[in-house]
Amino acid sequence: MKTALTATALTATLAAGMAMAEPQPYEIDPAHSELLAHWQHADFSTTRAIVFDISGEMTFDEEDPANSSISIQIPTTAINVTPEFEEHLLQSGDLFQNAQDSMITFESTSIKVTGENTADITGDLTLNGVTSEVILESTFIGQGESPTGEQVAAFGATTTLDRTNFNLGAFTPVVPAEVNVEISLEASPASE
């Protein structure tokens, strides 16, 4: 009888541990997430664009990060540049097409763990109506309690895009095709 009770308790403990190890759903926090893109303007200066309106969902498996996934959505109109450049970038038709009605999306397809807190996230990036595979070099910054008492998980990622892959190749090669992207994300457990 004692052996049966011990086995039952052990099974319950293992089941509880396994349940805790399952991937957890999170929602990206737009108030504490941003994307910075920068590229060379000929050989003269560096042009920057920043985005704050980032939304999306992720599942995070802390025990097996390769079992995680992420989905990001950004309205094209959320790209912030200088007022003088905004009309050219988003409205002239030289670069973005239908910028007022389009979304930038990223859907992960696989995750390869590269270090204790790093991973390469491969996924489909849809930009300017074109979908192409990109790799985000990501870092898990940590998780814990925010100053407001909410649980958060924080991540950073970088990548370099070839804008010609997305029909954004105007003025190349005078303006180089490479666009460097830095992403900072905070996410909180999804509400049930």
Side-chain angles (χ1 to χ4, degrees):
M1 180 73 170
K2 183 176 181 183
T3 303
L5 287 173
T6 303
T8 302
L10 180 60
T11 301
T13 302
L14 288 173
M18 289 174 64
M20 290 179 63
E22 291 180 0
Q24 298 298 309
Y26 282 77
E27 293 178 353
I28 294 172
D29 178 3
H32 297 98
S33 300
E34 67 179 44
L35 179 151
L36 173 67
H38 51 96
W39 60 94
Q40 289 302 115
H41 181 236
D43 290 324
F44 303 118
S45 62
T46 300
T47 302
R48 292 177 175 84
I50 192 164
V51 177
F52 298 110
D53 190 7
I54 301 173
S55 60
E57 309 78 35
M58 59 182 289
T59 57
F60 179 49
D61 189 334
E62 188 175 6
E63 297 297 320
D64 182 11
N67 194 35
S68 304
S69 65
I70 186 165
S71 173
I72 300 172
Q73 300 87 40
I74 300 171
T76 303
T77 52
I79 299 172
N80 293 289
V81 291
T82 60
E84 294 80 5
F85 186 49
E86 181 177 353
E87 182 176 353
H88 174 64
L89 180 67
L90 298 176
Q91 300 171 21
S92 70
D94 286 340
L95 292 157
F96 282 94
Q97 306 297 316
N98 303 315
Q100 299 304 311
D101 299 314
S102 64
M103 295 285 288
I104 301 166
T105 63
F106 177 82
E107 300 283 343
S108 65
T109 55
S110 67
I111 297 178
K112 178 183 177 183
V113 175
T114 57
E116 185 175 344
N117 294 312
T118 60
D120 288 343
I121 303 174
T122 301
D124 293 327
L125 175 67
T126 300
L127 172 62
N128 202 35
V130 178
T131 301
S132 183
E133 184 179 270
V134 301
I135 298 175
L136 303 179
E137 296 180 6
S138 68
T139 302
F140 173 53
I141 298 168
Q143 62 181 337
E145 191 173 291
S146 74
T148 58
E150 297 177 321
Q151 289 297 312
V152 299
F155 302 84
T158 62
T159 193
T160 299
L161 303 178
D162 182 338
R163 62 188 177 92
T164 63
N165 291 340
F166 300 94
N167 293 334
L168 294 169
F171 310 110
T172 54
V174 176
V175 177
E178 294 76 22
V179 177
N180 299 302
V181 177
E182 303 171 28
I183 304 169
S184 177
L185 294 179
E186 273 192 24
S188 299
S191 54
E192 298 180 2

